[in-house]
Amino acid sequence: MKFSPYIIELLREKSGHEIRLSRDCELLALDVESVTGEHIGVNTMKRLLGFIDDERTPRPSTLDVIAHYLGYANWDDLRLIDENSSNSAFDDRDEYLACYLEKGQRIIVSYPPNRKLTIENLGDNHFRVVESKNSKLLKGDMLTLTHIVRHYPLLVSEVTRDGQSLGAFTAGKAQGIDFKLL
């Protein structure tokens, strides 16, 4: 089980920390324990936030601790709010965490002047460039990135070409990017 983007946003707001990297889960687990007095393991937190691909169902008591941390009486109350927040909404968000995109899902990323990439999610924050137009990134390049944010640069922490690391890459530095989920 992975938390919904809505619950992750609640956790981000409550903790005051970004939750972009696996190591951010440790800070969150410590904050949950300091607020609630209850311990949640770092690996459990990583599973719930999607950093570990594992569909195990967490114990109800673990989910209740998260609900208490966020100010709710229990998990059922929080789940009800979560379901209502996402009911009948268009999917036009401006930010996606890579861990919540489906494996195999493709994204068209565009940025000035006239650059366009189609990337495919391979899982675990890894993507492959399947089409490239007017970009320094080439078809077949492997990318590591954690999130995609409309109107901000695309921050790729590592580009691998033909098995060799080329380092980090930033696309759309001046005006940011636009994207479309396919």
Side-chain angles (χ1 to χ4, degrees):
M1 172 185 165
K2 289 191 269 189
F3 285 146
S4 71
Y6 177 75
I7 291 178
I8 291 173
E9 183 58 32
L10 291 177
L11 289 168
R12 185 181 300 144
E13 288 174 9
K14 172 73 175 179
S15 70
H17 299 288
E18 288 297 316
I19 306 171
R20 296 182 303 116
L21 304 171
S22 179
R23 67 177 174 245
D24 297 331
C25 297
E26 188 171 335
L27 289 172
L28 182 58
L30 289 171
D31 196 44
V32 167
E33 187 169 359
S34 73
V35 169
T36 66
E38 299 286 336
H39 176 76
I40 293 182
V42 174
N43 283 338
T44 298
M45 194 63 76
K46 287 179 182 180
R47 278 193 294 277
L48 293 171
L49 294 168
F51 291 99
I52 295 176
D53 191 20
D54 186 343
E55 290 301 317
R56 280 188 265 175
T57 302
R59 288 181 272 171
S61 60
T62 299
L63 297 174
D64 282 343
V65 169
I66 294 296
H68 294 156
Y69 174 72
L70 293 173
Y72 293 86
N74 55 49
W75 176 252
D76 290 333
D77 288 354
L78 177 57
R79 189 172 46 85
L80 186 61
I81 298 294
D82 181 32
E83 287 172 1
N84 288 335
S85 76
S86 61
N87 194 18
S88 301
F90 289 104
D91 197 9
D92 62 350
R93 297 192 342 235
D94 288 329
E95 177 178 5
Y96 285 89
L97 293 174
C99 63
Y100 286 103
L101 296 170
E102 292 195 25
K103 203 173 198 177
Q105 186 166 26
R106 290 186 176 193
I107 305 155
I108 296 174
V109 177
S110 57
Y111 52 101
N114 196 27
R115 295 181 184 1
K116 187 173 169 182
L117 298 167
T118 303
I119 59 176
E120 180 179 12
N121 183 11
L122 303 175
D124 297 323
N125 297 336
H126 297 290
F127 293 78
R128 181 180 62 233
V129 177
V130 293
E131 290 182 42
S132 176
K133 179 181 176 189
N134 302 320
S135 174
K136 291 180 182 177
L137 295 174
L138 303 177
K139 182 178 180 179
D141 284 352
M142 305 300 285
L143 313 177
T144 303
L145 59 101
T146 57
H147 58 283
I148 298 170
V149 184
R150 195 177 318 275
H151 307 300
Y152 284 87
L154 179 68
L155 304 174
V156 179
S157 58
E158 183 177 28
V159 177
T160 304
R161 182 176 294 154
D162 299 323
Q164 183 177 1
S165 175
L166 302 178
F169 179 81
T170 303
K173 286 181 186 177
Q175 298 173 332
I177 64 160
D178 196 7
F179 65 87
K180 177 181 173 184
L181 300 179
L182 299 179

